[in-house]
Amino acid sequence: MKTAIVTGSTRGIGRAIADLLGENGYTVIYCGTRPQPPADLPPQADYFPADVSDSTQRKALIDHVLTQYGRLDVLVNNAGVAPLVRRDLLEMEEESFDRVIGVNLKGTLFLCQLGARAMLEGKGKLPDYSPRIINIGSLSAYTASVNRGEYCISKAGVGMVTALFAQRLAAEGIPVFEVRPGIIDTDMTSGVHEKYQGMIDNGLLPIPRFGKPEDVARMVLACCSGLLDYSAGQVLDADGGFSLRRL
């Protein structure tokens, strides 16, 4: 049975990704920071609590999967946090920067490293083994928001993490992808929902609606399908067309 780790998967985008992978035959290891799993996880789900900003907990997550299942087929680095308080760039606090970078960027980077090592070892032992890594980025990788600069910096960094691991692992037969959500209807955008809705109503997006977590999940599933494997570091924009340049 193929296994998939999805970090930050107790709700929102991560939950949609984990649920969809489970529906498509994967044994999914749901991962979040809460000590106990949500009561509504699928009966077959495995839950492992881990703070991805912590090296000991990252290693424990990978070790759990390898000990329990003997293989890691898909690593989805989705865990991410926004600033607790949106502040102007001139008022950004170092504590907030460290927190956001620790989860969004450092956690992604070093889970890629641990996952890649496990996958390379599996390539030498498991027949018909085609592992892959998918990082969940953001349109904030290239879109400046001066009241949450630490988040933008973290997601720009995730883009380079994707490129680096894609280059390192391509010849090993391990594809690395990035899915970049746009304005998605989740808890993270709930506080600015009215603002974004107004922008959408005024023509911000060619596809004039909020994205849903399922929109992102389907792109992750496409990355897992094998149909996109003649690419390295491919970025898929789940953004309603935000990335289009228009006149």
Side-chain angles (χ1 to χ4, degrees), residues 75-152:
L75 171 61
V76 181
N77 286 302
N78 168 76
V81 294
L84 293 175
V85 179
R86 292 185 175 219
R87 298 183 187 276
D88 182 86
L89 188 63
L90 302 184
E91 305 298 329
M92 182 197 298
E93 296 180 346
E94 190 170 345
E95 181 180 3
S96 177
F97 179 86
D98 289 344
R99 171 179 171 270
V100 172
I101 293 294
V103 175
N104 298 6
L105 181 53
K106 186 175 78 170
T108 295
L109 169 62
F110 286 103
L111 267 177
C112 280
Q113 184 185 74
L114 288 171
R117 290 173 178 170
M119 290 171 177
L120 287 170
E121 185 173 351
K123 287 286 268 186
K125 296 178 180 178
L126 300 170
D128 300 322
Y129 179 57
S130 300
R132 60 206 58 240
I133 296 172
I134 300 128
N135 296 324
I136 306 302
S138 170
L139 60 78
S140 294
Y142 60 87
T143 305
S145 297
V146 295
N147 63 348
R148 55 190 185 110
E150 56 268 61
Y151 184 81
C152 297

